[in-house]
Amino acid sequence: MKSTFFLSLIFFFTAHLSAQSINTINPDNVTIVRDSFGVPHIFGKTDADCAYGLAWVNAEDAFFETQNLMYVAKGFMGRKDGIDGVKADFFVHAIGARRIVEERYATDLTPEYKRYLNGYVQGLNAYAAAHPEQVKIRKAFPVTDKDVLTAFVATMSFLSYSQNQVGDAVGGKFDQEPINFEHLNPSVGSNAYAASNKVTDEHKTFLCINPHLQMNGPLSFYEMHLQSEEGLDMQGVTFQGASSHAMGTNKHLGWGFTWNYFDKVDVFKLNMHAKHKLQYEFDGKYEKLEKRPVWLKVKVKGLVIPVRKMTYWSKYGCTIKSDKVNNFYAVRFPANMTIKTGQQLYEMSKAQTYDQFWTALRNNHAIALFNMVYADEKNNIFYLSHGMLPDRKHLEYKWAGIVPGNTSKTLWTALVPLDSMPHNINPECGYVFNTNNNVYHATCLENSKSCNLPDYVNERPGDNNRAVTLKNFFNTHPTFSYKEFKKIKYETRFPENSQFIKSLNPLWSLDKKKYPELTEAIEMLQSWDRNTDVNSVPTTLFGSFIKTIWDDRHYGDYEFITGVTPLTEDQTVDYLKRAQAFMLKNFGTIRVPWGEVHKLRRGDKSLSIESFADLLSPSYPKANIINGKLEFNPEHGDTYCMFVQYGKDGAEKIETLEPLGNSLNPTSKHYTDQMEIFTKKQHKQMPFNKEYWLTHAETTYHPKR
């Protein structure tokens, strides 16, 4: 008891003293209103009060994930997860995440954002002080403003997938001949689409925000509403442990993000001096590599052991020595060159006009990736392939491979301006969208615009099933209602004109007379209406067929754009035989309704769900054995949805939905309480009105001191 008491005092007073240089938050000025689904509506006198409240409520609901983010920032993952965790600590040190924060904290951030950020830090430290029994690594607290900023740098760098290139450099992959270099992209995605009042029956502006990431874990979403007397009034979601909204709407405007695919990372091979150690050639002269040693702390069998590792820094930035041979590689990418990510999100949330929003984008330009779809009360809509694209001047180099690291010609120092990235602003046909598809296919064809950029700005050159479904809708609906705008989001049929479905023509044209052992399976699939609802029997067989191909060929999300590599008839028959055998082994029959095996599950609760990978309401399922039976459970997919209707007076309707619940705490009733409404496609109404929430509160409280 005494140690807990004194630990609480240390947390409190350290957090108190560290905040005095800005403002010490009075928790009585922070009012937390939890609605019937546990979504927090946080009201404060200042923006910093709201940030304090956000840190508090997110810790109540997901303190484990919040702590993990701080462990990454502090280099404590090795202490927590041993060998696996220390890899993250090495990466964060190697890319200089903490160093850039130390160098730029005093100059790059506005006083307004610093106050907001420090409010968040105070809230997180206050929660840790009040709940020391929940703190996993005591040395991690109290956290500082710079820890949160370091976490932003690290997160953007991870999302850029630069850790793959750092890891490959260390592991000697780039020493191999021929070098098998590839920019790896995750099989994740999102939808976002908007319509102007010229195509809507209500003559209103519509926005749909629909990210598809993890159902659980650090890249799952946390929904919240922040409202201060200083003008912050924003609803939407953020990642667990983040200090600002990632996407959503305020009273005037809103935006959604989708994953975009462009070349964000370059690898350079340095030409080392034959005799002088750690000297590399650059523009005909030799430069000295800067040593950056680090003591990594790694837990092994309960003991924390220090391990010394060496990283380097060159003109190209993060530089790694191969463990295999004496080769040095520099990994250069924009995400570790700015500390303004959180500030950009904060200023986007505060913007009240189209011009203010663009000012927030241009003045910061600090979010490494993500397409953006925007809408506002003035009937502006736009699509932007947003992100930090290196401005590579010399295209004679093969930027998708190993680039020479000995000339200023390859040392890019600037980014392509956001205004020069692929975009469509207020197109005549009245709609914009992105589903992780071709960046030049964001609206009707006659309004699509090209730009003078290399091919690597568009590494998804085609249209996936989701894009085709939305195009079909817009092409057949000159105008549409808000109800129809919402309904199309939950379309569960594959479009017949998608490249993916067309690529499976050998399956659709198999002659059942030639393969009597497959007659029933062929009949089922060829009579299938492509609907993947819970009662669909062919969907389960089709899913087994696709799983067999994907497992055999190591496919990912990209094949939903290109279609599968052409199948011969013999290959198709073989895959179908294997799928049939898989069904018979696991279910005893090939006639299994999709909803019997496709389950939305959290803890002990499970519900049948419809849909399939790369539909507008997607499920990317993983096969699991649950209670001795095979199930398909989505690991990522339709993780959040917000619909907004804007009129002359701003956001008139806001409706949201999560698939599971807003808390990651298994003891909370809000861990699973949105599963039923998710399967029924029902939505929560989310007005901005403070009085409404005070009178409809499940609980109202202030954070504890």
Side-chain angles (χ1 to χ4, degrees), residues 340-359:
K340 292 184 176 182
T341 302
Q343 179 171 282
Q344 178 173 333
L345 292 170
Y346 169 69
E347 292 180 358
M348 289 161 62
S349 299
K350 290 275 286 189
Q352 298 188 19
T353 67
Y354 174 89
D355 289 338
Q356 289 176 4
F357 189 83
W358 269 99
T359 297

Side-chain angles (χ1 to χ4, degrees), residues 210-216 220-223 237 490 599-602 605-607 609 617-619 634-641 656-662 670-680 682 684:
N210 182 218
H212 308 149
L213 287 175
Q214 291 180 343
M215 293 286 185
N216 295 285
S220 62
F221 287 107
Y222 187 69
E223 184 175 15
V237 289
Y490 298 105
K599 302 285 187 178
L600 182 66
R601 178 178 290 275
R602 177 175 270 182
K605 187 171 184 176
S606 69
L607 295 172
I609 55 170
S617 184
S619 169
E635 286 194 316
H636 61 279
D638 206 354
T639 43
Y640 178 73
C641 190
T656 70
L657 182 60
E658 299 172 81
L660 298 164
N662 203 44
H670 302 303
Y671 186 58
T672 59
D673 64 343
Q674 293 189 53
M675 292 174 66
E676 286 87 355
I677 65 171
F678 178 80
T679 60
K680 297 175 182 176
Q682 298 172 347
K684 314 186 301 289

